[in-house]
Amino acid sequence: MSLLPADRPGELDDPAPALSRLHEALELDGRLTKDALETAATSLHLPLVDLYDAATFYHYFGVGDDVDPISNAACSGPTCALRQSQTQGDERADHGEIACPGLCDQPTPTFDGARFVADGDGGFTVPRVVDTEEALFRHIRDDKDGSIDSYRASGGYRQLSHLANGEASVQSAMESLASSGLTGRGGAAFPLAAKWRAVREAPGDLKYIVCNADEGEPGTFKDRPLLHLSPHLLLEGMALAGVAAGATTGIIYLRYEYPEALEQLLNAINEAESAGVLGSSIMGSAVAFRVWVKRGAGSYVCGEETSLLNSLEGVKPWPRERPPFPTTSGLWNRPTVINNVESFCAVPPILEKGADWFRGLGRGDNAGTKLYSVSGDVQKAGNYELPLGITAREVIEGYAGGPSEGRMTKAFTLGGISGGLLGAEHLDINLDYVSNRDLGVSLGSGGIVVVDDSRCIVEFVRMTMRFYQDESCGRCFPCRIGTVRLRELLDGLTGRADLPEDALSRMDAIGALMATTSACGLGQAAPLVVTGMFRSFRDEVDEHATGRSCREGVCSL
Ligand code: SF4
């Protein structure tokens, strides 16, 4: 099957054709040539300069007649950096670098020009089996092959049929979702039902449902198995959103790094349309819902919802000012529901089993389950669906087995790396969206990167700052310049550059400025790892700064 993200052949009324046109050109020539860009700009009715500005933003659109496409490149994300010798320097000798492709539970992945493979075996592991009840991953275990037949055999699409055919009311479905306590699982934790209701009540006939499947956060790979192994669960969740919010068009914005999921999703959409489940009539009803897949091209900031919308519109994917919010002014300025994969996938089970059931899956006051991606220095890296509010210790040292024999947990991150860095003294925190605000950290995406006691924490933080520096979109100066300055100072601490006398106070000041003045979550979150380093590892930082020594023998001091 072609990897062209040109949706389905013969499909009309493509709601967001820009990325498809660019990928078609890329597929033909291996790069975006001048002629191809001109043709695309003409067909999209976009000024060439604007399309050039947009296309050059991404990692994987090689723009220019003599540009070599990326190939033979290895992941340089913080999780994979842990696996490399930390003394190898920034560039490994035989590879270029790619940002984290979401295979953090595998050996260091590489990109061969078409696929992201993990040291030969490729693929990814199915979610780890747990001893608590699952809501989402249960479908992966029930669906078996991810086909529409197996999904329907386990009760799939029944809730959509009820809602589309009027056997269940939109009002009761919304009330059930509201009382389930389901909040968006992408990190912001906004109540899902409130967002859907806002779009339903927003003026206008044309509305959109957009799925954010751009999980580019390092150490976060929880959506991948759902996309790959249970695509119909996502399609049903999106279609339910469409019926509830009054939208007939859904778009899945899929990160470039998941080509296998692209195939699965296109297959699933074709299956659903062929079976009359989706399309101009949902299962014989008067309600339509059609889903398109749009493949990104490599850019972390496109996981920010307004950047994602700009990406779909074919313009430079900088974050937008808010307000207005996407619920009233989203894709093409129309009311738009944007949720991530995990959020949409939670909806069918809630409507099937009830709000009380879902609430009861959480720990304490927390409602439902959460998908946690655990990677780094643990024995059983992988995805786990566990109660929201479980402790970090239970996840890291219990389910994931903790560090290897003889090693101890030294630190761990939350939210991939963007939720903050904590020392082992915080292992008993609850993993939820509210109880850790005093610490200034957040659960975010649910990604957890574990660092054992053989690692230099300063070097680990330096690697995370390299990521932010590379991915800063450059729109606002606190982030554009702050990430570079922080990385330079971390270079100084680790012996790669001169170290100013006031390096630590400068890092404090820069981090505070970034947190309060950056325009989007990237710049606001980037200093959190530095804050956590100072909070839990001040002695180790001082040894680097004043003693010019590294207790782990990692830094060249
Ligand atoms: Fe771009 Fe960073 Fe500013 Fe966000 S904070 S808009 S990523 S420069």
Side-chain angles (χ1 to χ4, degrees):
M1 181 173 193
S2 168
L3 288 183
L4 277 176
D7 316 301
R8 288 143 290 156
E11 191 66 62
L12 300 176
D13 303 317
D14 184 339
L19 286 167
S20 299
R21 296 294 160 273
L22 294 174
H23 275 293
E24 287 162 8
L26 184 70
E27 185 92 351
L28 279 177
D29 298 319
R31 58 183 61 80
L32 291 181
T33 62
K34 181 169 174 287
D35 287 350
L37 262 189
E38 284 174 352
T39 302
T42 301
S43 75
L44 293 166
H45 308 291
L46 281 172
L48 178 60
V49 65
D50 288 352
L51 193 61
Y52 177 88
D53 196 29
T56 51
F57 190 87
Y58 301 94
H59 298 316
Y60 292 100
F61 284 147
V63 181
D65 291 3
D66 53 2
V67 168
D68 288 330
I70 296 175
S71 65
N72 191 32
C75 176
S76 63
T79 311
C80 286
L82 282 175
R83 301 194 188 105
Q84 310 294 323
S85 161
Q86 292 187 344
T87 55
Q88 274 184 296
D90 286 348
E91 272 68 51
R92 285 175 282 282
D94 57 343
H95 283 114
E97 293 190 348
I98 52 170
C100 174
L103 284 163
C104 313
D105 56 345
Q106 300 284 307
T108 301
T110 55
F111 178 58
D112 64 8
R115 301 273 172 177
F116 297 84
V117 292
D119 281 0
D121 62 350
F124 58 94
T125 51
V126 296
R128 299 273 184 179
V129 174
V130 295
D131 55 2
T132 53
E133 187 172 2
E134 297 174 316
L136 281 66
F137 286 162
R138 170 181 69 86
H139 284 268
I140 288 177
R141 313 201 194 280
D142 289 351
D143 291 353
K144 308 282 192 296
D145 58 4
S147 69
I148 193 168
D149 290 341
S150 64
Y151 185 65
R152 295 184 90 167
S154 60
Y157 287 123
R158 207 178 292 154
Q159 303 311 313
L160 179 61
S161 176
H162 291 334
L163 203 63
N165 286 295
E167 294 155 21
S169 72
V170 167
Q171 186 177 343
S172 68
M174 290 289 215
E175 284 170 1
S176 184
L177 291 173
S179 60
S180 76
L182 176 64
T183 54
R185 294 303 202 230
F190 189 81
L192 179 134
K195 181 183 285 187
W196 291 17
R197 199 183 302 276
V199 171
R200 181 174 186 82
E201 292 171 357
D205 304 334
L206 186 54
K207 301 173 181 180
Y208 295 105
I209 306 299
V210 173
C211 174
N212 184 345
D214 195 51
E215 59 171 355
E217 181 68 45
T220 304
F221 45 96
K222 66 187 174 63
D223 291 342
R224 186 172 196 139
L226 288 169
L227 291 162
H228 200 137
L229 300 172
S230 199
H232 288 285
L233 180 64
L234 173 61
L235 295 181
E236 183 173 15
M238 291 180 67
L240 286 163
V243 180
T248 57
T249 300
I251 301 172
I252 301 169
Y253 187 99
L254 179 70
R255 71 179 308 213
Y256 179 83
E257 290 85 347
Y258 288 179
E260 299 86 356
L262 175 64
E263 296 177 20
Q264 294 293 95
L265 288 168
L266 293 177
N267 278 336
I269 291 166
N270 280 332
E271 279 186 318
E273 291 210 348
S274 299
V277 168
L278 297 180
S280 55
S281 165
I282 295 176
M283 288 176 271
S285 73
V287 183
F289 194 74
R290 186 159 271 168
V291 180
W292 303 72
V293 186
K294 297 294 168 182
R295 190 183 188 191
S299 166
Y300 172 71
V301 81
C302 286
E304 198 280 337
E305 62 182 15
T306 59
S307 295
L308 186 156
L309 295 174
N310 279 341
S311 178
L312 286 174
E313 293 183 10
V315 298
K316 190 169 185 167
W318 277 357
R320 298 177 181 175
E321 297 289 341
R322 286 179 292 187
F325 292 94
T327 46
T328 55
S329 304
L331 183 65
W332 305 116
N333 212 27
R334 308 285 185 169
T336 302
V337 167
I338 307 181
N339 283 120
N340 77 346
V341 174
E342 183 179 350
S343 308
F344 281 121
C345 287
V347 171
I350 291 172
L351 295 185
E352 177 194 349
K353 295 194 166 192
D356 290 344
W357 165 80
F358 187 73
R359 287 199 82 91
L361 297 179
R363 181 78 64 85
D365 291 336
N366 297 293
T369 58
K370 176 79 191 83
L371 308 184
Y372 302 97
S373 302
V374 190
S375 63
D377 293 323
V378 288
Q379 299 180 52
K380 290 182 280 185
N383 284 308
Y384 297 82
E385 182 173 7
L386 291 163
L388 183 63
I390 194 171
T391 67
R393 187 183 300 279
E394 288 173 273
V395 176
I396 293 170
E397 306 213 316
Y399 289 100
S404 58
E405 195 69 31
R407 288 289 166 204
M408 310 251 300
T409 300
K410 176 173 184 171
F412 61 101
T413 64
L414 295 180
I417 55 173
S418 295
L421 175 73
L422 292 163
E425 70 275 18
H426 296 295
L427 272 170
D428 291 312
I429 63 164
N430 298 116
L431 298 176
D432 61 37
Y433 291 109
V434 292
S435 64
N436 301 307
R437 289 184 180 145
D438 290 350
L439 282 170
V441 298
S442 89
L443 177 60
S445 64
I448 300 171
V449 181
V450 181
V451 179
D452 78 20
D453 60 353
S454 69
R455 312 294 185 184
C456 171
I457 203 71
V458 183
E459 171 62 5
F460 176 72
V461 170
R462 191 187 74 84
M463 291 301 296
T464 65
M465 199 53 62
R466 281 191 69 220
F467 170 81
Y468 289 123
Q469 173 193 325
D470 290 346
E471 297 295 337
S472 170
C473 82
R475 184 187 145 206
C476 65
F477 78 86
C479 171
R480 183 178 67 237
I481 300 172
T483 51
V484 176
R485 294 290 172 262
L486 285 176
R487 196 268 306 153
E488 288 172 348
L489 292 164
L490 288 158
D491 279 355
L493 279 177
T494 54
R496 288 176 172 78
D498 292 340
L499 184 68
E501 270 185 21
D502 60 348
L504 303 190
S505 60
R506 273 201 220 179
M507 291 173 80
D508 257 343
I510 292 168
L513 185 78
M514 290 172 66
T516 51
T517 60
S518 294
C520 87
L522 190 157
Q524 293 157 11
L528 287 179
V529 283
V530 175
T531 308
M533 178 180 74
F534 283 140
R535 178 178 51 226
S536 292
F537 302 98
R538 185 69 199 212
D539 289 352
E540 200 170 331
V541 174
D542 287 342
E543 287 165 14
H544 284 75
T546 54
R548 303 306 280 153
S549 65
C550 173
R551 64 174 74 171
E552 313 304 347
V554 169
C555 301
S556 309
L557 294 171

